[in-house]
Amino acid sequence: MPVRIIPPTPSAYVYPLLIKHLLHTSMTRAPDQEIVYRDLRRRTYREFRERIGRLASGLTQIGVDQGDVVAILEWDSDRYHECYFAIPMMGAVMQTVNVSLTPEDIAYTIVDSGATTVLFNADFAPLVAKLRPHLEAVRNWVSMLDRPDQPVTAMSVNAEYEALLSIGSPYFPFPDFDENAVATIFHTTGTTGRPKGVHFSHRQIVMHSMAVLVEYGLTPKHGRFHRDDVYMPMTPMFHVHAWGAPYTTTLAGCKLVFPGRYSPEIFVKLIASEGVTWTHCVPTLLQMLLTAPGSESVDLSRLRMVIGGSALPPSLARAAMARGIDVFGGYGMSETAPMLTTSHIKSKHLGGDFEEELRYRIAAGIAAPLVDLRIVDANMAEVPHDGEAVGEIVVRAPWLTTGYLNNPEASEVLWGGGYLHTGDVASIDADGYVRIADRIKDIVKTGGEWVSSIALENIIMEMPGVRKAAVIPIRDVKWGERPLALVIRDPEHPEAISEDDVRLHVASYVERGLISKIAIPENVTFVAELPLTSVGKIDKKTLRALYS
Amino acid sequence: MPVRIIPPTPSAYVYPLLIKHLLHTSMTRAPDQEIVYRDLRRRTYREFRERIGRLASGLTQIGVDQGDVVAILEWDSDRYHECYFAIPMMGAVMQTVNVSLTPEDIAYTIVDSGATTVLFNADFAPLVAKLRPHLEAVRNWVSMLDRPDQPVTAMSVNAEYEALLSIGSPYFPFPDFDENAVATIFHTTGTTGRPKGVHFSHRQIVMHSMAVLVEYGLTPKHGRFHRDDVYMPMTPMFHVHAWGAPYTTTLAGCKLVFPGRYSPEIFVKLIASEGVTWTHCVPTLLQMLLTAPGSESVDLSRLRMVIGGSALPPSLARAAMARGIDVFGGYGMSETAPMLTTSHIKSKHLGGDFEEELRYRIAAGIAAPLVDLRIVDANMAEVPHDGEAVGEIVVRAPWLTTGYLNNPEASEVLWGGGYLHTGDVASIDADGYVRIADRIKDIVKTGGEWVSSIALENIIMEMPGVRKAAVIPIRDVKWGERPLALVIRDPEHPEAISEDDVRLHVASYVERGLISKIAIPENVTFVAELPLTSVGKIDKKTLRALYS
């Protein structure tokens, strides 16, 4: 027999999970709460809501329709925040263009998404002029000026952003539609080949926002988020919806601070002047924040901070905690919107032995509510929850992209077996903590053993005299693969360390049973810098190509 | 143009919002967390999960199929908790039968829901034997014994509950199906005519659970709920899913305590012995808890408590706060699953003047996340957010019943104009606090003015010498309606108050501008008791009939 479905009463409102509904709380509970944008421009949620209406109305007047894709090339700003809501709420799709890509890749991603309207900051006018001949589908060009006198190239545009808002009505009637309508598109980087487009529906964004708040509210003692917090995202808005922060904070109705440009000096200044209590970022930015000029004189002890993008190195976590920051790891990816796990530590693991607590704080963490996370072997069988066995993390959740744009082959690989394959190798312990061992392709498969490049990097980075390290597998006739350690020396350290020093350091961890003997790298190379991806991770793809 | 919908990759798992997914967190994060049932029976979430599998498997073996309705007549217990999950998770529908109704109404509700299987505690065997001839559609009868020697009448049953579990497999494969499948049915009481059946889908229960946790996690300073809390529901499981507590707490993975029977002595004992930190109930039960034998010697200062069902009287809130309880109001109804608002007070309203804080604590509160709550006049136009103007509360949210079972007329009245009509008259202030003035039908419409029966009751209950009061409208030739005050004297008060004392007391509030002069009741009647509905509210329907 089928399950029982009772058709709703004809008059009943069957509530679609649409982004517009995230605004109810801010509009009734916190209409006068302020949002702070770069240049310290301040608006209340009420003003924000009016500008959303004007933007949707203005875009409609220049011909943007439901289903149209609107590409954004912009620094983080009030306008970007408005686009996050107005464009999906009118039934169109917002493409957040990664402005740090090459011009070729930017053109590729705009064509791939099928965008017909482009909104661009005047700073990108020269780029846009260059791309324009390759973007035949684009009918509408809207410029965005930071100052009235900002130079724009001679290219014709349909409208300037503020002019568009001034002709728009704040009372734009945002319609209801299918909650599975695509709300956003952006492209992932750092993988082989062209950027791949991921897409998220209204339903997925609403469910992700709810789950983030459940996860951040349920934690008893640390890493908690609440309505009196002041949230400042420290990752760009073009990337994974700034980890969903503009949506979750608006649902909470709390004070939001957008730093605009990604400079550690600005972060430090805003933390002090705006009373920021919550943020998120990648390890590189946290390091920059801690060492930024003036940082020492700012009280960071009220800050809670989740670190993602790549693993939180223990040395960095120690440095942040020494400044009083409640720092902890989280894990997710572009394809997962991004939250999958957070290291909201159980009370029994807090406040005891510091190094033990640190081991929990730097873990990827425990699966968030509604996340069905499994760690599986090649046959999709679950590995034991013993903190030792490793396998690939595969997941189901209500907010995962259901495939890559225009790329059925890659989509099928991503979703093989009905679970999203993260490509990350990890263990899980009896308390549910997931610890990432490595990317499947960064694992060093040597002499029948697997050596985690991340574990080896973390050990080398514990060494005085080392500023940064990257480990990649290189081919080896006898062993299959061997680790190559690329090390940046710390210039402030009294004497330069040698290759042998590095090997001896790793060997001391072997003696303590913390890593296999086979991991001691005979290949150690000192380098002046390491290439980074556009989102601040070490670019292992480039390193593998360089040292292959 | 239509909105853009990208079909998922064929292998992708499109995640339906099913009750089974509420279990992921408890199974990975807290499998060894204990659940305490009456008689102090203890089980872990892991054991709970196994018994859910066994129950579904056992029910399948006696012929319960997807779409079938399974009616439960049971005290709160481990078995009831298992039914909450196993029955909907297998695709069947759980009907929670209100065992405090008359036998005629119980039979009516079981027929109305179309139940084909009945699970009943042996305590109800005599009742079941009496109902059986009227329940022709029921094919399966399952008895539930609290003790092996519990007497059951001679009626034949298909199975006993524990025997069913022992033949069932813990590995029952809970299937995926449409998230709009009906999960639960129960009947509302206290309205005119027969009980009306409401129904909730898997999606609605998941969304309600998520929203409750967001609301309870986001509150900065009081009324907070987190994973280390110990939750004991103090309303019966047959009524509105015990306000959703079995679902929300399982999603959180926290310790749960089911008191079983609704005796204040048991509540007090469990609060002390199990370290209960969170509960919810109706005002009557809170009063019983505060005055129960032995209550004074128990520390209640760690308790947080939301009060619903009817308004939290200021006098009762004061008494609870004097014991250190973090008590506050909430508002919802059977049709709304139930949460609509909670008085999670803003930080600016906490810790100042006590009477001012109290005024916020006893409010219905502020709309929960995703709730679109409006207070409207007869033309569905919103009243100003000034804390003065009153209108009817109408709502939309992702978890409202979409109609009454087999009752299209009442369903259309409920959903007139696309908003669910609560039948409650209220004001809303600039901070979003909703304050209930009255039920539309309890408002005393007198001389062209509206007098709130609740406001008048609260004033009378502030009077020393009064234990309880109810106000109902009675017909009046000159004024249309006049208030009748029914008052229970406080037997412990030194001297019995008179009718004139009551009028003088109300007049003192008139002088302070707190209520209209027209509210002073010339009709005051002292009574020994007031009739209650099955869920502990004053039964105004009966009162209106008695005094009409």
Side-chain angles (χ1 to χ4, degrees), chain A residues 426-452:
Chain A
S427 65
I428 182 167
D429 68 17
D431 281 304
Y433 290 97
V434 173
R435 289 187 173 83
I436 310 289
D438 220 330
R439 291 292 293 168
I440 277 188
K441 56 177 171 290
D442 292 330
I443 283 271
V444 185
K445 298 170 192 82
T446 182
E449 274 188 59
W450 279 16
V451 170
S452 157

PDB file of all heavy atoms in Angstrom, chain A residues 426-452:
ATOM      1  N   ALA A 426      39.285   9.635   6.004  1.00  0.00           N
ATOM      2  CA  ALA A 426      39.165  10.025   7.403  1.00  0.00           C
ATOM      3  C   ALA A 426      38.902   8.819   8.283  1.00  0.00           C
ATOM      4  O   ALA A 426      38.570   7.730   7.798  1.00  0.00           O
ATOM      5  CB  ALA A 426      38.027  11.036   7.577  1.00  0.00           C
ATOM      6  N   SER A 427      39.047   9.039   9.602  1.00  0.00           N
ATOM      7  CA  SER A 427      38.621   8.058  10.604  1.00  0.00           C
ATOM      8  C   SER A 427      37.475   8.664  11.400  1.00  0.00           C
ATOM      9  O   SER A 427      37.221   9.869  11.326  1.00  0.00           O
ATOM     10  CB  SER A 427      39.787   7.733  11.550  1.00  0.00           C
ATOM     11  OG  SER A 427      40.136   8.895  12.283  1.00  0.00           O
ATOM     12  N   ILE A 428      36.766   7.827  12.146  1.00  0.00           N
ATOM     13  CA  ILE A 428      35.710   8.303  13.039  1.00  0.00           C
ATOM     14  C   ILE A 428      35.811   7.501  14.340  1.00  0.00           C
ATOM     15  O   ILE A 428      36.041   6.288  14.303  1.00  0.00           O
ATOM     16  CB  ILE A 428      34.312   8.184  12.383  1.00  0.00           C
ATOM     17  CG1 ILE A 428      33.215   8.731  13.310  1.00  0.00           C
ATOM     18  CG2 ILE A 428      33.999   6.755  11.953  1.00  0.00           C
ATOM     19  CD1 ILE A 428      31.871   8.933  12.606  1.00  0.00           C
ATOM     20  N   ASP A 429      35.687   8.204  15.481  1.00  0.00           N
ATOM     21  CA  ASP A 429      35.832   7.481  16.745  1.00  0.00           C
ATOM     22  C   ASP A 429      34.457   7.227  17.372  1.00  0.00           C
ATOM     23  O   ASP A 429      33.418   7.601  16.816  1.00  0.00           O
ATOM     24  CB  ASP A 429      36.796   8.216  17.697  1.00  0.00           C
ATOM     25  CG  ASP A 429      36.266   9.530  18.206  1.00  0.00           C
ATOM     26  OD1 ASP A 429      35.046   9.782  18.122  1.00  0.00           O
ATOM     27  OD2 ASP A 429      37.072  10.331  18.716  1.00  0.00           O
ATOM     28  N   ALA A 430      34.461   6.588  18.530  1.00  0.00           N
ATOM     29  CA  ALA A 430      33.204   6.163  19.158  1.00  0.00           C
ATOM     30  C   ALA A 430      32.346   7.346  19.591  1.00  0.00           C
ATOM     31  O   ALA A 430      31.126   7.222  19.749  1.00  0.00           O
ATOM     32  CB  ALA A 430      33.506   5.270  20.365  1.00  0.00           C
ATOM     33  N   ASP A 431      32.964   8.524  19.773  1.00  0.00           N
ATOM     34  CA  ASP A 431      32.207   9.726  20.116  1.00  0.00           C
ATOM     35  C   ASP A 431      31.689  10.454  18.886  1.00  0.00           C
ATOM     36  O   ASP A 431      31.056  11.504  19.010  1.00  0.00           O
ATOM     37  CB  ASP A 431      33.088  10.684  20.922  1.00  0.00           C
ATOM     38  CG  ASP A 431      33.197  10.259  22.387  1.00  0.00           C
ATOM     39  OD1 ASP A 431      32.137  10.114  23.023  1.00  0.00           O
ATOM     40  OD2 ASP A 431      34.319  10.066  22.871  1.00  0.00           O
ATOM     41  N   GLY A 432      32.018   9.950  17.704  1.00  0.00           N
ATOM     42  CA  GLY A 432      31.537  10.560  16.480  1.00  0.00           C
ATOM     43  C   GLY A 432      32.472  11.578  15.854  1.00  0.00           C
ATOM     44  O   GLY A 432      32.159  12.157  14.811  1.00  0.00           O
ATOM     45  N   TYR A 433      33.646  11.812  16.481  1.00  0.00           N
ATOM     46  CA  TYR A 433      34.582  12.782  15.896  1.00  0.00           C
ATOM     47  C   TYR A 433      35.213  12.211  14.626  1.00  0.00           C
ATOM     48  O   TYR A 433      35.775  11.117  14.637  1.00  0.00           O
ATOM     49  CB  TYR A 433      35.721  13.114  16.859  1.00  0.00           C
ATOM     50  CG  TYR A 433      35.317  13.927  18.071  1.00  0.00           C
ATOM     51  CD1 TYR A 433      35.043  13.305  19.280  1.00  0.00           C
ATOM     52  CD2 TYR A 433      35.240  15.318  18.009  1.00  0.00           C
ATOM     53  CE1 TYR A 433      34.680  14.043  20.399  1.00  0.00           C
ATOM     54  CE2 TYR A 433      34.880  16.065  19.127  1.00  0.00           C
ATOM     55  CZ  TYR A 433      34.603  15.422  20.321  1.00  0.00           C
ATOM     56  OH  TYR A 433      34.248  16.151  21.416  1.00  0.00           O
ATOM     57  N   VAL A 434      35.123  12.999  13.569  1.00  0.00           N
ATOM     58  CA  VAL A 434      35.750  12.648  12.298  1.00  0.00           C
ATOM     59  C   VAL A 434      37.101  13.361  12.231  1.00  0.00           C
ATOM     60  O   VAL A 434      37.192  14.539  12.587  1.00  0.00           O
ATOM     61  CB  VAL A 434      34.860  13.104  11.120  1.00  0.00           C
ATOM     62  CG1 VAL A 434      35.567  12.902   9.788  1.00  0.00           C
ATOM     63  CG2 VAL A 434      33.519  12.373  11.153  1.00  0.00           C
ATOM     64  N   ARG A 435      38.133  12.630  11.820  1.00  0.00           N
ATOM     65  CA  ARG A 435      39.452  13.253  11.626  1.00  0.00           C
ATOM     66  C   ARG A 435      39.916  12.969  10.213  1.00  0.00           C
ATOM     67  O   ARG A 435      40.003  11.803   9.801  1.00  0.00           O
ATOM     68  CB  ARG A 435      40.461  12.697  12.640  1.00  0.00           C
ATOM     69  CG  ARG A 435      40.184  13.169  14.044  1.00  0.00           C
ATOM     70  CD  ARG A 435      41.265  12.773  15.027  1.00  0.00           C
ATOM     71  NE  ARG A 435      40.980  13.417  16.312  1.00  0.00           N
ATOM     72  CZ  ARG A 435      40.112  12.928  17.228  1.00  0.00           C
ATOM     73  NH1 ARG A 435      39.480  11.800  16.973  1.00  0.00           N
ATOM     74  NH2 ARG A 435      39.901  13.594  18.341  1.00  0.00           N
ATOM     75  N   ILE A 436      40.176  14.042   9.470  1.00  0.00           N
ATOM     76  CA  ILE A 436      40.587  13.883   8.083  1.00  0.00           C
ATOM     77  C   ILE A 436      42.028  13.388   8.059  1.00  0.00           C
ATOM     78  O   ILE A 436      42.903  13.965   8.707  1.00  0.00           O
ATOM     79  CB  ILE A 436      40.516  15.227   7.321  1.00  0.00           C
ATOM     80  CG1 ILE A 436      39.160  15.916   7.529  1.00  0.00           C
ATOM     81  CG2 ILE A 436      40.832  15.014   5.840  1.00  0.00           C
ATOM     82  CD1 ILE A 436      37.994  15.280   6.868  1.00  0.00           C
ATOM     83  N   ALA A 437      42.264  12.310   7.308  1.00  0.00           N
ATOM     84  CA  ALA A 437      43.631  11.840   7.125  1.00  0.00           C
ATOM     85  C   ALA A 437      44.246  12.555   5.926  1.00  0.00           C
ATOM     86  O   ALA A 437      45.389  13.025   5.998  1.00  0.00           O
ATOM     87  CB  ALA A 437      43.657  10.331   6.911  1.00  0.00           C
ATOM     88  N   ASP A 438      43.487  12.677   4.871  1.00  0.00           N
ATOM     89  CA  ASP A 438      44.036  13.261   3.651  1.00  0.00           C
ATOM     90  C   ASP A 438      42.975  13.317   2.557  1.00  0.00           C
ATOM     91  O   ASP A 438      41.914  12.731   2.682  1.00  0.00           O
ATOM     92  CB  ASP A 438      45.198  12.408   3.135  1.00  0.00           C
ATOM     93  CG  ASP A 438      46.341  13.254   2.614  1.00  0.00           C
ATOM     94  OD1 ASP A 438      46.071  14.366   2.126  1.00  0.00           O
ATOM     95  OD2 ASP A 438      47.482  12.805   2.724  1.00  0.00           O
ATOM     96  N   ARG A 439      43.329  14.041   1.474  1.00  0.00           N
ATOM     97  CA  ARG A 439      42.573  13.863   0.248  1.00  0.00           C
ATOM     98  C   ARG A 439      42.980  12.516  -0.335  1.00  0.00           C
ATOM     99  O   ARG A 439      44.150  12.127  -0.244  1.00  0.00           O
ATOM    100  CB  ARG A 439      42.916  14.953  -0.785  1.00  0.00           C
ATOM    101  CG  ARG A 439      42.451  16.348  -0.458  1.00  0.00           C
ATOM    102  CD  ARG A 439      40.958  16.510  -0.484  1.00  0.00           C
ATOM    103  NE  ARG A 439      40.391  16.365  -1.830  1.00  0.00           N
ATOM    104  CZ  ARG A 439      39.070  16.244  -2.063  1.00  0.00           C
ATOM    105  NH1 ARG A 439      38.211  16.231  -1.053  1.00  0.00           N
ATOM    106  NH2 ARG A 439      38.624  16.144  -3.291  1.00  0.00           N
ATOM    107  N   ILE A 440      42.037  11.824  -0.938  1.00  0.00           N
ATOM    108  CA  ILE A 440      42.383  10.535  -1.538  1.00  0.00           C
ATOM    109  C   ILE A 440      43.582  10.681  -2.459  1.00  0.00           C
ATOM    110  O   ILE A 440      44.496   9.875  -2.428  1.00  0.00           O
ATOM    111  CB  ILE A 440      41.164   9.932  -2.290  1.00  0.00           C
ATOM    112  CG1 ILE A 440      40.261   9.216  -1.285  1.00  0.00           C
ATOM    113  CG2 ILE A 440      41.608   8.971  -3.387  1.00  0.00           C
ATOM    114  CD1 ILE A 440      39.141   8.417  -1.907  1.00  0.00           C
ATOM    115  N   LYS A 441      43.630  11.786  -3.238  1.00  0.00           N
ATOM    116  CA  LYS A 441      44.727  11.884  -4.206  1.00  0.00           C
ATOM    117  C   LYS A 441      46.027  12.414  -3.597  1.00  0.00           C
ATOM    118  O   LYS A 441      47.063  12.355  -4.239  1.00  0.00           O
ATOM    119  CB  LYS A 441      44.307  12.676  -5.439  1.00  0.00           C
ATOM    120  CG  LYS A 441      43.795  14.049  -5.199  1.00  0.00           C
ATOM    121  CD  LYS A 441      43.504  14.721  -6.556  1.00  0.00           C
ATOM    122  CE  LYS A 441      42.783  16.030  -6.342  1.00  0.00           C
ATOM    123  NZ  LYS A 441      41.401  15.870  -5.861  1.00  0.00           N
ATOM    124  N   ASP A 442      45.975  12.909  -2.333  1.00  0.00           N
ATOM    125  CA  ASP A 442      47.203  13.385  -1.690  1.00  0.00           C
ATOM    126  C   ASP A 442      47.827  12.341  -0.766  1.00  0.00           C
ATOM    127  O   ASP A 442      48.932  12.532  -0.268  1.00  0.00           O
ATOM    128  CB  ASP A 442      46.936  14.666  -0.882  1.00  0.00           C
ATOM    129  CG  ASP A 442      46.612  15.830  -1.789  1.00  0.00           C
ATOM    130  OD1 ASP A 442      47.129  15.841  -2.929  1.00  0.00           O
ATOM    131  OD2 ASP A 442      45.850  16.718  -1.382  1.00  0.00           O
ATOM    132  N   ILE A 443      47.108  11.268  -0.503  1.00  0.00           N
ATOM    133  CA  ILE A 443      47.663  10.175   0.294  1.00  0.00           C
ATOM    134  C   ILE A 443      48.935   9.664  -0.403  1.00  0.00           C
ATOM    135  O   ILE A 443      48.948   9.515  -1.624  1.00  0.00           O
ATOM    136  CB  ILE A 443      46.613   9.022   0.386  1.00  0.00           C
ATOM    137  CG1 ILE A 443      45.522   9.380   1.393  1.00  0.00           C
ATOM    138  CG2 ILE A 443      47.263   7.690   0.708  1.00  0.00           C
ATOM    139  CD1 ILE A 443      45.808   8.975   2.818  1.00  0.00           C
ATOM    140  N   VAL A 444      49.990   9.425   0.386  1.00  0.00           N
ATOM    141  CA  VAL A 444      51.213   8.861  -0.188  1.00  0.00           C
ATOM    142  C   VAL A 444      51.137   7.338  -0.022  1.00  0.00           C
ATOM    143  O   VAL A 444      51.173   6.831   1.097  1.00  0.00           O
ATOM    144  CB  VAL A 444      52.467   9.416   0.534  1.00  0.00           C
ATOM    145  CG1 VAL A 444      53.733   8.903  -0.159  1.00  0.00           C
ATOM    146  CG2 VAL A 444      52.445  10.948   0.566  1.00  0.00           C
ATOM    147  N   LYS A 445      50.960   6.666  -1.135  1.00  0.00           N
ATOM    148  CA  LYS A 445      50.810   5.206  -1.101  1.00  0.00           C
ATOM    149  C   LYS A 445      52.190   4.599  -1.291  1.00  0.00           C
ATOM    150  O   LYS A 445      52.706   4.534  -2.398  1.00  0.00           O
ATOM    151  CB  LYS A 445      49.828   4.766  -2.188  1.00  0.00           C
ATOM    152  CG  LYS A 445      48.421   5.349  -1.980  1.00  0.00           C
ATOM    153  CD  LYS A 445      47.510   5.118  -3.178  1.00  0.00           C
ATOM    154  CE  LYS A 445      46.241   5.959  -3.063  1.00  0.00           C
ATOM    155  NZ  LYS A 445      46.412   7.385  -3.504  1.00  0.00           N
ATOM    156  N   THR A 446      52.806   4.176  -0.197  1.00  0.00           N
ATOM    157  CA  THR A 446      54.222   3.809  -0.238  1.00  0.00           C
ATOM    158  C   THR A 446      54.454   2.453   0.437  1.00  0.00           C
ATOM    159  O   THR A 446      54.061   2.264   1.594  1.00  0.00           O
ATOM    160  CB  THR A 446      55.088   4.925   0.411  1.00  0.00           C
ATOM    161  OG1 THR A 446      56.450   4.567   0.305  1.00  0.00           O
ATOM    162  CG2 THR A 446      54.728   5.203   1.863  1.00  0.00           C
ATOM    163  N   GLY A 447      55.029   1.533  -0.317  1.00  0.00           N
ATOM    164  CA  GLY A 447      55.363   0.218   0.242  1.00  0.00           C
ATOM    165  C   GLY A 447      54.178  -0.497   0.860  1.00  0.00           C
ATOM    166  O   GLY A 447      54.312  -1.110   1.910  1.00  0.00           O
ATOM    167  N   GLY A 448      52.995  -0.355   0.251  1.00  0.00           N
ATOM    168  CA  GLY A 448      51.813  -1.037   0.765  1.00  0.00           C
ATOM    169  C   GLY A 448      51.152  -0.306   1.921  1.00  0.00           C
ATOM    170  O   GLY A 448      50.102  -0.718   2.410  1.00  0.00           O
ATOM    171  N   GLU A 449      51.755   0.791   2.384  1.00  0.00           N
ATOM    172  CA  GLU A 449      51.137   1.571   3.461  1.00  0.00           C
ATOM    173  C   GLU A 449      50.616   2.891   2.915  1.00  0.00           C
ATOM    174  O   GLU A 449      51.068   3.372   1.877  1.00  0.00           O
ATOM    175  CB  GLU A 449      52.173   1.869   4.564  1.00  0.00           C
ATOM    176  CG  GLU A 449      52.304   0.771   5.594  1.00  0.00           C
ATOM    177  CD  GLU A 449      53.182   1.210   6.758  1.00  0.00           C
ATOM    178  OE1 GLU A 449      52.837   2.213   7.421  1.00  0.00           O
ATOM    179  OE2 GLU A 449      54.215   0.565   6.984  1.00  0.00           O
ATOM    180  N   TRP A 450      49.653   3.501   3.674  1.00  0.00           N
ATOM    181  CA  TRP A 450      49.169   4.830   3.332  1.00  0.00           C
ATOM    182  C   TRP A 450      49.751   5.820   4.332  1.00  0.00           C
ATOM    183  O   TRP A 450      49.561   5.667   5.543  1.00  0.00           O
ATOM    184  CB  TRP A 450      47.643   4.892   3.428  1.00  0.00           C
ATOM    185  CG  TRP A 450      46.928   4.340   2.225  1.00  0.00           C
ATOM    186  CD1 TRP A 450      47.443   3.545   1.238  1.00  0.00           C
ATOM    187  CD2 TRP A 450      45.553   4.550   1.893  1.00  0.00           C
ATOM    188  NE1 TRP A 450      46.479   3.234   0.321  1.00  0.00           N
ATOM    189  CE2 TRP A 450      45.299   3.839   0.689  1.00  0.00           C
ATOM    190  CE3 TRP A 450      44.502   5.258   2.478  1.00  0.00           C
ATOM    191  CZ2 TRP A 450      44.055   3.824   0.075  1.00  0.00           C
ATOM    192  CZ3 TRP A 450      43.262   5.239   1.872  1.00  0.00           C
ATOM    193  CH2 TRP A 450      43.042   4.530   0.674  1.00  0.00           C
ATOM    194  N   VAL A 451      50.435   6.844   3.839  1.00  0.00           N
ATOM    195  CA  VAL A 451      50.930   7.906   4.711  1.00  0.00           C
ATOM    196  C   VAL A 451      50.128   9.171   4.412  1.00  0.00           C
ATOM    197  O   VAL A 451      50.033   9.593   3.254  1.00  0.00           O
ATOM    198  CB  VAL A 451      52.442   8.170   4.496  1.00  0.00           C
ATOM    199  CG1 VAL A 451      52.887   9.430   5.234  1.00  0.00           C
ATOM    200  CG2 VAL A 451      53.255   6.969   4.945  1.00  0.00           C
ATOM    201  N   SER A 452      49.548   9.752   5.449  1.00  0.00           N
ATOM    202  CA  SER A 452      48.758  10.963   5.265  1.00  0.00           C
ATOM    203  C   SER A 452      49.688  12.157   5.092  1.00  0.00           C
ATOM    204  O   SER A 452      50.526  12.436   5.948  1.00  0.00           O
ATOM    205  CB  SER A 452      47.858  11.173   6.481  1.00  0.00           C
ATOM    206  OG  SER A 452      47.499  12.531   6.574  1.00  0.00           O
TER     207      SER A 452
END
